[in-house]
Amino acid sequence: MAVTPVTSRAQGEAAVGRRATAAILGLFLMAGGLVGTGTAAAQPAPATTWLCSPELTNDPCDLGGDTTDLGTGTVTPGPAAVPESDKPVDCFYLYPTVTNDVALNAPGYATPEVASIASFQAARFNTQCRVFAPVYRQTPLVGLPLALVGAAGPSIDLAYSDVRAAWDNYMATENNGRGVILIGHSQGTFMLRKLMRDTFDQDAALRQQLVGAFLMGGNVETARGSTTGGDFTNIPLCTEQGQFGCVVAYSTNTLLPPLSTFGNSSLDLWSQRWDLPSGPQYQVACTDPVALSGDDRPVGITVPSAPFAFGIISILLQYSTAPETVPTSNSTWTTSRGRVVGSCIEAGGYNQYHLTFVEPQPLNEVPLLDSHLVDMNVGLDRLVSIADQQTTAWQTAR
């Protein structure tokens, strides 16, 4: 195997870094041009467009499970496909901030980057559940700076109206009393926090259908020293293996002390702008996936092998793995050669899941976001295992 000269690697990393930095700066510059423009609020709410659903064939959540592990060289065939009718529960997935649109709201249809992120985060769960993923008119990357300074409130409200409409549609036409696993990341998690506050937390009967919730990278908050008392009064954080009806939540980092927009309830502009609990009386949740899964082995980063659709996220992914490329192989999925162990650590007011490499591999943190891009993909199969154990426990308890 050819070895890349150090000077060439450094130049390559610098070039990717310059592109990523320019992209991030571009978000703020383009956002400035959006001040005073209309959002999509004047447009009528569209009927729910499903990015993933059991009725769709070959949607982004229908990936097979065959995987190449670059750390061991092992190629694992995917499990046999499970008919949708045989899956015991449903998953309702909301994707993170991903769209490249220069607007305060994304369009009401699936763009290539939206399809890529659904595969990236949700498709691995399709062995456990029927996956429902609605398209929603989220605040795009270029609109987030305005959202964080409070200048894009209507765009957030519009996005949530799509989410709530999709949830109501699903419950009315598809659920039929089935158990539900909620899955979200970043903006998707903020939306699910609001949705759960408005629905599950208020409805004891509906809570009987809650198998679990994976609310990653989105500052889920509780009262200090408690598993409830922030976002939810009646839905606790998960604390032990096999527990269901609870929330799994954390944001990852590789550097201490962190300087981040995630993990500190006292500096949580995101929750403030999304009208969610925040402030020093709360703490941001960190649930240890080792304790919840029963698997303490070092884990890699598992991602689809197909290239991510071009845009800001694909550029930032290149930056995160520079001077190497995003892991890929001839299998549908690839697990990185690097391995990490993790633990929930409080440092400087931040409560995050800190990653330590035991088998080195580049994972560069994006400024103010830490290793946010791979919150779900570090140890992705461990999260799927937690979902599997929760489903079994939920079925047993019925």
Side-chain angles (χ1 to χ4, degrees), residues 311-370:
I312 300 297
I313 296 299
S314 68
I315 293 172
L316 293 179
L317 283 170
Q318 292 175 49
Y319 169 76
S320 293
T321 58
E324 301 181 7
T325 60
V326 177
T328 189
S329 68
N330 291 326
S331 297
T332 303
W333 294 83
T334 304
T335 298
S336 65
R337 76 169 193 284
R339 292 292 188 272
V340 299
V341 295
S343 61
C344 290
I345 292 179
E346 290 194 59
Y350 291 85
N351 190 28
Q352 294 181 311
Y353 194 64
H354 181 63
L355 307 175
T356 301
F357 277 90
V358 293
E359 292 292 338
Q361 178 167 348
L363 183 58
N364 309 307
E365 291 196 351
V366 177
L368 298 181
L369 299 180
D370 307 310

Side-chain angles (χ1 to χ4, degrees), residues 64-65 105 112 126 139 164 181 198 246 269 285 392:
N105 284 97
N126 69 15
T139 302
R164 183 59 194 263
I181 298 172
D198 291 346
C246 55
L269 286 177
T392 299

Side-chain angles (χ1 to χ4, degrees), residues 81 86 89 95 134 149 195 209 240 258 343 348 350:
D86 290 348
V89 300
Y95 47 85
V149 298
L195 181 68
Q209 294 178 240
E240 59 186 35
S343 61
Y350 291 85

Side-chain angles (χ1 to χ4, degrees), residues 9-34:
R9 290 174 58 181
Q11 291 169 353
E13 181 175 9
V16 173
R18 285 194 297 270
R19 291 196 298 271
T21 301
I24 293 169
L25 290 174
L27 297 182
F28 288 87
L29 291 173
M30 285 188 287
L34 294 174

